Amino acid sequence: MADWRLVLPLILIAAFLIFEDLITVPSCVISDGGGAVGSNKLKAMIVADLLLKGPDAGYADTFFRNIFISRFFRKSYEKLEPDMLVILGDIAAKRLELGKGDWSVVLQQLKRVIGPFDGVPLVVGLGERDVGECSELDEESVAKIANNLPGLDRTGSASFRFENVSFFLINDVALLCNENALRFGVEKLIESESFDLREQSKDSLLEAAVSDEINILNDGFPSLKSYPPSGSGPVLLLHFPLSRAAEMNNERNNTLNENLQKFEHNGTVHVDSDTVEAVSPQLMQTLPLNETEYILQSLRPRMVFSAHRQHFDIYNHSDGTLEVIVPAMTWTLGGRPGFVFASFGETNTRVSHCSLAREMHVVMGYLSILVLLLFATIISRGSYSVRFFQI
């Protein structure tokens, strides 16, 4: 009968291989059912904030993190079989100089990381880490970056239709910058998309003029009551989330209530304008309220996908528009990398949140198995030596 200690290393090696295979399989939870999507559905994997370091990547990034994330992409592709891949900006960890070839390094790293998706339609947006802050933002640099990414125009935006689903990707970094030529270019695209949406809605309303709910003016155009309804526009893809006016107002009210309680307790309290306007940093990492209202009213999006806040979240705006915050696909920020998997039916959309284990948990898993393997090897060698001397 064979000594079990001799086969223990082989058992641990098999366990190591199984662990390495399973740890890269995404864990997905359906976060919004949205009803049945039917068999004719478009499946999209939506990621954000890869934060690739380009020429600044160290050994841990090159030989561990990027390779592991690439395996995660491969397992996600094998498990979910998406029809397209969408990246919502912040490909790079920081703004890079275009003339030094640093962007070429980032693009090479991106290609290796998403290698399993070679041949799958790819859409890549831009974030503030890619194009810089307002003081650094200019048309020429954005155009050079956009020229290396599929489907983007000179402003870093894109409008496209895939499998009967319309998408509109906006370079919303430009919308944070006042008096910027790039901002005017993006707003022009929004106006063009809004005009097309109104024209399509007008044609549909004219065809359905028999409905009592539709008012037709003498010139044949629908009245203001027939303005495109919420949800009739494209799927909107952003980097920065839209403003959450309700939450911001609630936080302001909570701050005022806290100050009122302090006043009632102490008899006096100093409240300045900064205190009154205080809101959490997360809620400030959004587009301004006026831009949010402008986008929602102009585009009437079917659904909004945005990023930047690093963690997964779902929010319903006052007009009923559902916004999904896509988590960061990186260990650099210390959380669990993840993505959103969306299945678009004719009228309904199903959203799932998929995630990977934390970096520390993965490292501890590897170290534990390696320590056990080393220990088993020592035991098996000791057992073999004892048997040798007995012989």
Side-chain angles (χ1 to χ4, degrees), residues 206 214-224:
L206 288 172
I214 299 173
N215 297 325
I216 304 296
L217 300 180
N218 293 331
D219 58 2
F221 287 88
S223 68
L224 292 177

Side-chain angles (χ1 to χ4, degrees), residues 213-238:
E213 298 177 357
I214 299 173
N215 297 325
I216 304 296
L217 300 180
N218 293 331
D219 58 2
F221 287 88
S223 68
L224 292 177
K225 291 182 180 180
S226 63
Y227 190 88
S230 296
S232 61
V235 175
L236 189 59
L237 305 174
L238 304 170

